[in-house]
Amino acid sequence: MSEENDSLIEKNAKEYDAHAQSWQVSMSTNMGHKYLEKPAMENELPVTFEGKAVLCIGVGSGDELQDILRRHPAHVTGIDISNELLNIAKSRFPDVEVKKMDMSAMDFPDATFDYVYSSLTFHYAPDWDVLCSEIYRVLKKGGKLLFSTHHPDYWSRKTPTGKSYTNDRRVTLTEHAAILPGDVKIIYYNHTDTDSINEALSHAGFNIEKSFVPFVVEVDANTLPVQDKEGYAKLKTKNTESPLFYLIKATK
Ligand SMILES: C[S@@+](CC[C@H](N)C(=O)[O-])C[C@H]1O[C@@H](n2cnc3c(N)ncnc32)[C@H](O)[C@@H]1O
């Protein structure tokens, strides 16, 4: 990775570190997490992780760990670039091993994990060829990858910084800036479309089992908590107009 990418990682890490508490608080009531992304991801998880070593990339404050731990894995490792978020994840889920690490240059030996899970993190990578081959490397043969990421259509409307990154295969990702809940100012990269995301995985050697745009879970309006009613309706409209996220399940 170039020096420019290193400083970008540091920038994002600094933001998440500085706003770790407010990020966690805002995520606990975030409509997109609660009624869209997390249920869609959980729906794709296997019934059990018994005997399996699971890696959670971009674990953040650990909101997905409950869904993973409920399936009784042998071991869970969470990596992230933000020490402050890792500290929160560790305090909530002491059994999970946490490590500060860049997902595109991991310290793990080859074929360490049976399953790689990642919620809303891959779009921080400027070069998905590097990222996908790194994940392919740390997975065992037959191992599975499940991840969610920004949908390029929706997220390309956020502020373009005017910069882009072109890799060795001449794939170009554009750089954008956005402010996330909790006032986290992030820089992320955008593929041109979902085909280009699929292509990066296939190029690394993955077989794509499934790729799709998740829908907001159907909840009877009468059973929704009062404080969620307005946000739930808004999320549904927003996600129907232009899907917010994109999910992929793949096998090594
Ligand atoms: C949108 S948050 C998602 C956190 C958590 N997965 C969730 O869904 O609540 C993105 C996370 O990716 C982490 N991250 C960003 N760049 C990363 C990188 N290069 N390697 C590992 N983690 C990274 C951030 O620190 C942050 O915790």
Side-chain angles (χ1 to χ4, degrees):
M1 279 291 190
S2 69
E3 269 175 34
E4 198 176 329
N5 291 337
D6 284 349
S7 75
L8 180 99
I9 290 170
E10 277 159 30
K11 247 188 199 162
N12 283 332
K14 239 176 152 175
E15 270 298 305
Y16 274 109
D17 276 343
H19 301 277
Q21 298 296 339
S22 57
W23 161 261
Q24 197 217 337
V25 171
S26 59
M27 282 306 111
S28 63
T29 55
N30 184 270
M31 296 292 121
H33 268 214
K34 196 168 170 183
Y35 294 107
L36 174 58
E37 193 267 344
K38 291 287 173 284
M41 288 290 275
E42 184 177 18
N43 206 29
E44 299 303 325
L45 288 176
V47 177
T48 176
F49 275 134
E50 253 170 68
K52 306 286 186 202
V54 178
L55 172 66
C56 185
I57 294 182
V59 66
S61 51
D63 276 358
E64 51 263 43
L65 290 174
Q66 193 70 57
D67 293 337
I68 294 172
L69 292 170
R70 195 179 292 138
R71 290 168 167 80
H72 307 294
H75 191 78
V76 182
T77 310
I79 66 162
D80 204 283
I81 51 167
S82 162
N83 266 330
E84 296 301 325
L85 287 178
L86 287 173
N87 288 342
I88 295 175
K90 185 73 185 170
S91 68
R92 295 172 72 195
F93 303 99
D95 291 344
V96 171
E97 183 182 7
V98 297
K99 291 185 172 203
K100 180 172 173 161
M101 210 183 277
D102 171 22
M103 60 187 164
S104 297
M106 294 186 273
D107 286 344
F108 306 113
D110 296 357
T112 302
F113 300 100
D114 299 287
Y115 200 99
V116 172
Y117 173 108
S118 184
S119 259
L120 303 175
T121 299
F122 284 9
H123 40 264
Y124 292 93
D127 187 346
W128 283 51
D129 282 0
V130 173
L131 171 66
C132 292
S133 65
E134 187 60 350
I135 294 168
Y136 194 84
R137 182 185 72 73
V138 302
L139 266 175
K140 295 177 189 170
K141 194 158 172 39
K144 306 272 182 199
L145 166 67
L146 170 68
F147 72 93
S148 61
T149 190
H150 283 173
H151 195 293
D153 291 352
Y154 177 84
W155 290 87
S156 61
R157 297 179 203 157
K158 300 276 177 186
T159 319
T161 65
K163 292 186 191 161
S164 61
Y165 181 83
T166 302
N167 73 8
D168 296 343
R169 215 157 45 83
R170 312 225 40 83
V171 177
T172 298
L173 274 72
T174 49
E175 195 188 86
H176 293 262
I179 303 177
L180 299 185
D183 204 28
V184 190
K185 296 174 190 68
I186 54 148
I187 302 287
Y188 66 95
Y189 281 88
N190 222 37
H191 274 272
T192 47
D193 51 31
T194 51
D195 284 350
S196 160
I197 292 178
N198 291 25
E199 217 277 315
L201 283 149
S202 302
H203 178 74
F206 280 105
N207 287 316
I208 296 176
E209 278 175 46
K210 187 174 178 181
S211 58
F212 66 103
V213 158
F215 295 105
V216 175
V217 287
E218 285 302 330
V219 185
D220 179 346
N222 297 319
T223 66
L224 274 175
V226 173
Q227 68 274 18
D228 286 2
K229 283 186 196 277
E230 196 187 336
Y232 175 82
K234 274 189 187 160
L235 176 70
K236 256 192 147 173
T237 307
K238 200 170 163 185
N239 196 57
T240 305
E241 283 169 5
S242 180
L244 301 177
F245 305 126
Y246 185 58
L247 263 66
I248 293 195
K249 245 175 133 169
T251 307
K252 174 171 177 175

